[in-house]
């Protein structure tokens, strides 16, 4: 019997499409699974536990404890905080976000509020410069120069200061017209008559070959080893000073003397390699006394302090001294009342003017119609508006920035003239190493120039003028009073001769 | 979905997508230059681009309800698919520019990677839908409805048994037992003629043959009366029961095939099949050639069914991945929008 078409067709299940296709079944299962997963993940993201999920990155080290405390710790809901966000530079939103920083933790004054326009200040959010969510190791104060040049490149608009007091236009440190010359180096306020060139000559003679050149035999025994710099002492050898004999670091740099260590520290960790920032003030008692022994008076006393201290501590000696003084000055008065030490004043003035004593290094000035030794006024920190760290520049020789101290000349050195010279090179010496363009830095480094560094504004400057400066030191060395101990020591040693 | 048929339509949407990307990039470049750095997704241009990308993703997801509402005649499918394809591709660059070329935190990274995954799976599916149907058309002439492969395989097995029964009589005793294909033991409903075929009432057999009739190429039924040598009966029944029938019925759920094992290796590839049947033909009388050719065709058809099943998997499985990932993307996108507005 032949099969009919109907019979053949009947072999196929005509309702096959009613059955669920395996692909459709899997599509439904996967769809429901993803739907559930999406809803659960979204709910988690909305919770405070899920704050890290929606965070674009971990908080910086200072704020990292808030990583799991939800966004509202810093963010005000529905108020844009990013400066580039739509409404992020709206004064109201900026105030709200700044309030989050200033109300609880920080207290930062406006940037030169008396010289910056209100329109500029009111859109200066903390986040304008301090970018968060860049991870724990990201520095909040490591800013691009554009953060500063945004206003300083058009200072006419952002500053309300008069043209005379207004800061100069700053666009790019590395360009000749991009940053003004350092104002702090315009003059040397110091009054000490001192010649670096002379003191770096062997034996420190006024002129080369001068018979006054000092050899080790001229030094007291206690100083010889120090100035031999670790070499065997040869009494016939001339004393050769180096920079470190007078300029002592304010902090040790153990472990960072090596150039490669310094470079590694600078480039990879971008942290200060050591705590050394400045050099300590030069001390007469410590750095000059080996050669410049005072025969009559201790160093560092002013007229009144000297007279009062002597009178208070050693009355017997004072009486004896006054007697001798009276004899010399033919004065009949034996008992001189306090405040009328005219004889003493005359003698002190004589000593001060003596070219072999005070006046050898100091200049004199008048105070209350009395002649006094002028304050030295040697700045410990030269840059008043910038931070400079010697500790970050250990790989650079002193001569690179202070070439005038190393000038070689056989001529007599006029210490007075040299004292007026600023012994620091200008901005061009910085530009030799500090390069703005990363590719230029990389090229120089690959060419073998190891001393290359960034040229960002924050390398030297700080925005918050009221905040502690990275080099927390005062300007000029304070000319304070004497220590009574030093007077006592001087008198006990019997050095007082009139 | 084939590109060649709707080239103008595809060009239209491809141009629109390219225009969006280029305009977005130029706008972003200008904004970043004005801001002095790469602006983020919260900037004006970032929000505009993000909104465009978000709207496109929303439109892409509309393909699902559109399929459900196809009776409403919401526009031709080819237009929807062309727009789905090209505008969907534009979302990747637009979202990347919107984000300032950054992936951001965990959530936004998930969102971005998910978008990339959806795009890649979509492009993969697009390629598959172009390549595989064309390949199947040329290489799988025995293609059938995929869901019916098991049914057709059983039918083929029954056809073969009926053919051998008609030609050589019932299977001799002592040979490998055939798989039980009684109607009640099968899990599918399409098989209805088991009893008739095995009873041997038919005087004629149906031999399938691939014939070319004009541009069409396919199998048609030919009624042929044949006479065979009974001496071949035992050998052919033996090979059928031990090798051919297990091959025809393999991988069908619910069947307990008694002779699975070494025999299947003889039919594993086209070449081994050819060798197997050549040897069988040489061992049998010439009168069995027609029967053996029919059995060989059934084996070839079964092999094509296997290939078709794999091809269907490549052709359709991506949709489950693409669609479900798109659902996840849509949910996370809504969450992203809410969070971004709140904590921008």
């Amino acid at each position: 019997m032949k099969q009919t078409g109907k019979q053949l067709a009947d072999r196929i299940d005509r309702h096959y499409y009613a059955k669920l296709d395996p692909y459709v079944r899997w599509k439904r299962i996967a769809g429901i699974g993803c739907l559930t997963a999406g809803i659960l993940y979204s709910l988690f993201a909305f919770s405070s536990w899920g704050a890290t999920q929606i965070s674009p990155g971990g908080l910086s080290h200072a704020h990292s404890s808030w990583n799991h405390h939800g966004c509202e710790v810093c963010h005000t809901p529905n108020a844009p905080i990013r400066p580039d966000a739509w409404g992020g530079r709206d004064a109201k939103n900026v105030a709200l976000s700044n309030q989050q920083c200033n109300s609880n933790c920080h207290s930062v004054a406006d940037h030169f509020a008396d010289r910056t326009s209100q329109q500029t200040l009111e859109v200066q959010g903390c986040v304008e410069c301090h970018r968060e969510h860049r991870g724990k190791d990201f520095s909040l104060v490591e800013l691009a120069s554009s953060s500063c040049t945004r206003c300083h490149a058009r200072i006419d608009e952002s500053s309300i200061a008069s043209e005379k007091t207004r800061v100069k236009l700053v666009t790019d440190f590395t360009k000749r017209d991009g940053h003004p010359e350092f104002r702090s180096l315009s003059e040397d306020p110091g009054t000490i008559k001192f010649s670096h060139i002379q003191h770096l000559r062997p034996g420190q003679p006024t002129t080369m070959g001068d018979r006054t050149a000092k050899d080790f035999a001229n030094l007291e025994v206690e100083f010889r080893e120090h100035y031999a710099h670790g070499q065997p002492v040869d009494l016939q050898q001339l004393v050769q000073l180096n920079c470190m004999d007078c300029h002592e670091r304010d902090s040790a740099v153990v472990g960072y003397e090596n150039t490669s260590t310094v470079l590694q520290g600078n480039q990879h960790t971008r942290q200060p390699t050591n705590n050394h920032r400045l050099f300590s003030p030069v001390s007469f008692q410590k750095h000059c006394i080996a050669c410049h022994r005072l025969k009559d008076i201790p160093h560092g006393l002013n007229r009144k302090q000297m007279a009062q201290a002597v009178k208070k501590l050693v009355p017997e000696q004072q009486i004896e001294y006054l007697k001798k003084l009276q004899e010399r000055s033919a004065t009949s008065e034996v008992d001189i009342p306090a405040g009328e030490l005219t004889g003493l004043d005359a003698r002190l003035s004589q000593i001060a003017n003596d070219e072999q004593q005070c006046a050898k290094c100091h200049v004199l000035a008048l105070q209350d119609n009395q002649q006094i030794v002028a304050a030295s006024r040697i700045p410990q920190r030269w840059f008043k508006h910038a931070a400079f760290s010697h500790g970050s520049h250990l790989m650079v020789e002193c001569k690179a920035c202070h070439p005038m101290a190393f000038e070689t000349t056989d001529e007599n050195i006029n210490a007075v003239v040299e004292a007026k010279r600023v012994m620091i090179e200008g901005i061009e010496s910085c530009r030799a190493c500090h390069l703005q363009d990363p590719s230029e830095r990389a090229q120089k480094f690959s060419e073998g120039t190891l001393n290359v560094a960034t040229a960002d504004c924050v390398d030297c400057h700080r925005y918050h003028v009221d905040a502690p400066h990275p080099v927390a030191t005062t300007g000029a060395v304070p000319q304070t009073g004497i220590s009574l101990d030093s007077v006592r020591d001087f008198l006990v040693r019997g050095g007082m001769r009139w | 979905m084939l590109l060649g048929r709707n080239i103008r339509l595809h060009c239209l949407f491809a141009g629109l997508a390219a225009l969006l990307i280029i305009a977005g990039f130029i706008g972003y470049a200008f904004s970043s230059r004005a801001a002095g750095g790469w602006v983020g997704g919260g900037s004006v241009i970032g929000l505009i681009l993000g909104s465009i990308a978000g709207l496109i993703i929303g439109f892409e997801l509309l393909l699902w309800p559109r399929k459900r509402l196809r009776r409403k005649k919401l526009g031709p499918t080819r237009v929807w698919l062309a727009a789905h394809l090209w505008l969907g591709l534009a979302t990747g660059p637009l979202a990347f520019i919107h984000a300032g070329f950054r992936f951001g935190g965990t959530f936004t990274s998930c969102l971005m990677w998910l978008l990339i995954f959806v795009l890649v799976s979509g492009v993969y599916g697009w390629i598959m839908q172009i390549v595989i149907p064309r390949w199947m058309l040329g290489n799988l002439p025995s293609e059938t409805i995929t869901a019916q492969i098991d049914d057709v395989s059983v039918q083929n097995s029954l056809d073969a048994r009926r053919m051998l029964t008609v030609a050589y009589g019932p299977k001799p005793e002592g040979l490998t037992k055939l798989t039980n294909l009684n109607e009640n033991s099968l899990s599918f409903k399409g098989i209805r003629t088991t009893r008739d075929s095995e009873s041997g009432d038919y005087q004629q057999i149906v031999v399938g043959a691939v014939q070319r009739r004009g541009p069409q190429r396919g199998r048609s039924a030919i009624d042929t009366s044949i006479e065979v040598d009974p001496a071949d009966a035992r050998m052919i029944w033996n090979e059928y029961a031990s090798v051919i029938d297990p091959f025809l019925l393999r991988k069908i759920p619910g069947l307990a095939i008694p002779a699975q094992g070494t025999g299947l290796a003889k039919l594993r590839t086209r070449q081994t099949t050819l060798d197997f049947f050549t040897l069988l033909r040489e061992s049998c009388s010439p009168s069995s050639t027609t029967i053996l050719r029919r059995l060989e065709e059934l084996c070839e058809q079964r092999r094509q069914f296997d290939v078709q099943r794999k091809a269907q998997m490549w052709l359709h499985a991506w949709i489950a991945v693409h669609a479900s990932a798109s659902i996840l993307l849509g949910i996370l996108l809504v969450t992203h929008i809410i969070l971004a507005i709140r904590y921008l």
Side-chain angles (χ1 to χ4, degrees):
Chain A
M1 192 176 82
K2 187 178 177 181
Q3 273 186 304
T4 64
K6 188 175 180 181
Q7 284 174 314
L8 287 171
D10 201 35
R11 290 162 38 153
I12 299 292
D13 181 8
R14 280 165 289 177
H15 299 285
Y16 73 92
Y17 56 82
K19 289 189 291 186
L20 195 60
D21 187 88
Y23 299 113
V24 175
R25 186 167 61 244
W26 278 111
K27 191 165 72 175
R28 288 182 183 175
I29 291 170
I32 292 168
C34 285
L35 184 73
T36 311
I39 292 171
L40 290 176
Y41 186 42
S42 297
L43 289 174
F44 177 64
F46 276 116
S47 69
S48 60
W49 301 296
T52 52
Q53 297 295 310
I54 59 173
S55 167
L59 296 173
S60 62
H61 182 75
H63 301 146
S64 58
S65 60
W66 292 328
N67 269 329
H68 304 280
H69 282 67
C71 308
E72 276 87 356
V73 173
C74 301
H75 290 262
T76 305
N78 304 317
I81 193 169
R82 283 183 57 137
D84 61 351
W86 195 352
R89 286 209 171 89
D90 183 76
K92 184 184 164 191
N93 291 329
V94 170
L96 277 172
S97 66
N98 283 357
Q99 193 181 359
Q100 295 287 78
C101 305
N102 282 335
S103 61
N104 298 323
C105 305
H106 303 280
S107 178
V108 181
D110 285 334
H111 179 67
F112 293 104
D114 56 333
R115 285 182 253 172
T116 313
S117 70
Q118 190 60 30
Q119 290 89 339
T120 305
L121 283 176
E122 68 185 8
V123 295
Q124 295 302 310
C126 303
V127 294
E128 188 81 52
C129 300
H130 302 295
R131 298 296 172 91
E132 261 298 359
H133 296 291
R134 303 279 174 94
K136 200 171 184 178
D137 296 329
F138 183 79
S139 170
L140 286 176
V141 294
E142 195 168 318
L143 312 176
S145 295
S146 56
S147 299
C148 304
T149 55
R150 188 161 39 82
C151 293
H152 281 266
R154 46 187 183 87
I155 198 72
D156 296 345
E157 300 171 25
S158 52
S159 174
I160 54 171
S162 65
E163 203 163 324
K164 192 176 286 184
T165 57
R166 184 182 298 166
V167 294
K168 303 289 183 193
L169 205 68
V170 178
T171 55
D172 187 340
F173 179 81
T174 52
K175 290 181 181 168
R176 186 167 293 277
D177 300 326
H179 190 287
E181 188 55 81
F182 303 135
R183 279 189 298 171
S184 302
L185 302 184
S186 59
E187 62 173 353
D188 185 351
T191 63
I192 298 296
K193 292 178 271 183
F194 181 83
S195 168
H196 282 90
I197 299 172
Q198 177 193 345
H199 282 79
L200 285 172
R201 286 176 181 163
Q204 300 83 49
T206 310
T207 54
M208 289 299 285
D210 192 341
R211 62 183 178 81
T212 59
K214 292 182 182 60
D215 55 24
F216 278 90
N218 295 122
L219 285 181
E220 297 284 344
V221 176
E222 59 187 294
F223 297 114
R224 287 175 183 168
E225 192 178 343
H226 174 70
Y227 288 102
H229 304 128
Q231 301 294 321
V233 176
D234 179 359
L235 294 178
Q236 306 304 316
Q237 190 181 354
L238 295 174
V239 176
Q240 175 64 63
L241 299 177
N242 62 32
C243 304
M244 306 303 288
D245 284 333
C246 300
H247 299 289
E248 289 187 8
R249 290 171 175 141
D250 57 359
S251 181
V253 293
V254 178
Y256 289 99
E257 297 90 342
N258 185 284
T259 302
S260 61
T261 313
V262 175
L263 288 172
Q264 192 179 23
N266 275 335
Q267 292 176 0
H268 294 283
T269 67
R270 301 189 65 79
Q271 298 294 319
T273 52
N274 51 67
N275 292 323
H276 171 40
R277 297 285 179 277
L278 300 175
F279 285 99
S280 301
V282 174
S283 162
F284 176 87
Q285 298 292 351
K286 202 171 178 182
H287 304 112
C288 310
I289 196 75
C291 300
H292 301 277
R293 300 301 297 260
L294 291 177
K295 57 185 179 182
D296 290 326
I297 57 170
H299 186 265
L301 309 183
N302 66 29
R303 177 186 297 269
K304 193 174 178 181
Q305 290 165 336
M306 182 70 180
Q308 288 178 346
V310 169
K311 185 179 177 185
K312 186 176 178 182
L313 288 176
V314 283
E316 296 87 359
Q317 291 184 16
Q318 185 195 16
I319 292 166
E320 188 181 342
Y321 142 72
L322 287 173
K323 282 180 182 174
K324 291 180 180 177
L325 191 64
Q326 282 170 343
E327 289 170 5
R328 291 186 184 181
S329 60
T331 307
S332 58
E333 293 289 330
V334 175
D335 185 17
I336 301 175
E340 295 181 13
L341 299 173
T342 52
L344 179 62
D345 287 345
R347 178 57 185 146
L348 290 176
S349 293
Q350 187 184 353
I351 293 169
N353 279 299
D354 189 344
E355 282 294 330
Q356 295 303 315
Q357 297 199 57
C358 300
K360 182 176 177 64
C361 302
H362 291 281
V363 296
L364 301 177
L366 282 174
Q367 189 180 56
D368 300 332
N369 292 324
Q370 289 187 327
Q371 203 169 34
I372 62 163
V373 173
S376 63
R377 300 190 191 283
I378 300 173
Q380 187 189 1
R381 186 184 128 205
W382 279 85
F383 295 105
K384 297 182 181 67
H385 304 289
F388 180 85
S389 168
H390 279 94
S392 301
H393 292 81
L394 291 178
M395 76 294 285
V396 182
E397 290 183 345
C398 307
K399 196 175 179 179
C401 302
H402 309 281
M404 48 285 279
F406 294 84
E407 287 175 5
T408 53
T409 172
D410 293 343
E411 296 175 4
N412 187 10
I413 302 303
N414 188 333
V416 178
V417 174
E418 192 189 321
K420 286 294 171 192
R421 289 177 66 187
V422 177
M423 307 296 279
I424 308 170
E425 282 276 84
I427 194 170
E428 286 303 323
S429 65
C430 306
R431 285 174 178 150
C433 303
H434 288 271
L435 305 170
Q436 185 79 38
D437 187 4
S439 59
E440 200 179 343
R441 287 200 298 269
Q443 186 186 348
K444 274 213 164 191
F445 198 80
S446 63
E447 287 171 356
T449 308
L450 297 178
N451 297 339
V452 287
T454 56
D456 295 325
C457 301
V458 291
D459 288 346
C460 304
H461 297 283
R462 290 293 180 269
Y463 175 85
H464 300 293
V465 287
D466 60 331
H469 202 275
V471 181
T473 57
T474 55
V477 178
Q479 301 300 302
T480 56
I482 60 165
S483 155
L484 291 182
D485 289 340
S486 67
V487 178
R488 187 184 293 111
D489 290 345
F490 182 77
L491 294 171
V492 169
R493 280 197 288 133
M496 190 170 181
R497 292 187 293 106
W498 298 92
Chain B
M1 198 64 184
L2 295 179
L3 198 61
R5 290 182 188 174
N6 308 299
I7 191 71
R8 286 187 180 176
L9 193 63
H10 282 274
C11 285
L12 174 70
F13 284 107
L16 181 61
L19 192 69
L20 281 173
I21 294 168
I22 293 168
F25 186 79
I26 291 172
Y28 180 82
F30 274 105
S31 297
S32 297
R33 190 179 175 187
W38 300 117
V39 295
S43 61
V44 176
I45 185 70
L47 281 175
I48 291 171
L49 295 178
S51 301
I52 293 171
L55 287 172
I56 291 175
I57 291 173
F59 165 76
E60 302 282 298
L61 290 170
L62 285 179
L63 202 63
W64 184 23
R66 189 261 167 199
K67 191 177 177 182
R68 291 275 173 188
L69 301 172
R70 54 184 174 272
R71 289 182 181 176
K72 301 282 183 184
K73 296 186 177 177
L74 300 171
T77 305
R78 57 193 176 87
V79 178
W80 275 87
L81 286 177
H84 181 86
L85 172 68
W86 292 106
L87 295 180
L89 280 175
T91 56
L94 287 175
F96 202 45
I97 300 170
H98 152 75
F101 305 105
R102 291 182 291 265
F103 274 36
T106 310
F107 187 86
T108 48
S109 293
C110 283
L111 198 59
M112 194 66 89
W113 281 116
L114 195 59
L115 176 61
I116 292 170
F117 179 76
V118 169
L119 291 180
V120 170
S121 65
V123 171
Y124 166 82
W126 178 47
I127 294 170
M128 289 296 111
Q129 288 202 338
I130 291 174
V131 172
I132 289 186
R134 286 182 179 177
W135 182 85
M136 287 173 71
L137 205 62
N139 294 277
L140 300 178
S142 302
E143 179 189 357
T144 186
I145 300 163
T146 308
Q148 291 290 302
I149 284 178
D150 290 342
D151 283 6
V152 174
S153 296
V154 171
Q155 294 289 357
N156 285 346
S157 172
L158 291 172
D159 280 349
R161 290 180 193 187
R162 192 173 65 233
M163 179 177 69
L164 293 179
T165 304
V166 170
Y168 299 107
K171 182 168 75 71
E173 293 295 326
L175 299 180
T176 306
K177 195 178 176 184
L178 290 171
T179 304
N180 184 9
L181 293 179
N182 286 331
E183 189 175 356
N184 295 334
S185 69
L186 297 174
S187 59
F188 31 84
K189 301 173 183 176
I191 301 159
R192 301 178 190 283
T193 56
T194 312
R195 286 189 303 273
D196 293 338
S197 63
E198 289 187 342
S199 64
D201 291 340
Y202 296 108
Q203 297 301 314
Q204 291 178 306
I205 59 172
V206 177
V207 178
V210 176
Q211 287 194 343
R212 187 179 293 277
R213 290 178 180 172
Q216 299 297 324
R217 187 166 181 265
R219 187 162 67 88
S220 60
I222 302 169
D223 290 355
T224 309
S225 295
I226 55 171
E227 289 184 1
V228 293
D229 185 356
D232 297 336
R234 188 169 183 82
M235 178 182 291
I236 290 178
W237 264 115
N238 180 46
E239 294 298 335
Y240 179 80
S242 61
V243 179
I244 299 171
D245 196 59
F247 180 75
L248 294 177
L249 298 176
R250 66 184 180 149
K251 295 181 182 175
I252 295 178
L255 289 184
I257 300 171
Q260 268 187 331
T262 56
L264 290 178
K266 295 177 181 176
L267 303 176
R268 184 177 297 153
T269 64
R270 183 168 287 174
Q271 185 58 46
T272 56
T273 306
L274 189 65
D275 295 343
F276 171 76
F277 278 102
T278 304
L279 189 63
L280 199 57
R281 267 192 293 272
E282 288 171 356
S283 306
C284 297
S285 62
S287 60
S288 298
T289 303
T290 307
I291 300 291
L292 291 175
R293 188 183 299 127
R294 172 62 185 149
L295 291 176
E296 190 176 359
E297 284 169 5
L298 290 177
C299 291
E300 172 61 22
Q301 192 179 25
R302 183 67 181 86
R303 186 177 301 101
Q304 287 187 20
F305 286 166
D306 288 345
V307 175
Q308 182 193 342
R309 206 192 293 268
K310 284 182 184 173
Q312 290 290 336
M313 191 270 289
W314 287 108
L315 187 62
H316 293 302
W318 69 274
I319 297 176
V321 177
H322 179 73
S324 53
S326 299
I327 291 170
L328 184 58
L329 177 69
I331 293 169
L332 295 188
L333 180 66
V334 172
T335 308
H336 170 66
I337 292 168
I338 296 170
L339 289 171
I341 291 172
R342 190 170 171 79
Y343 300 120
L344 201 65

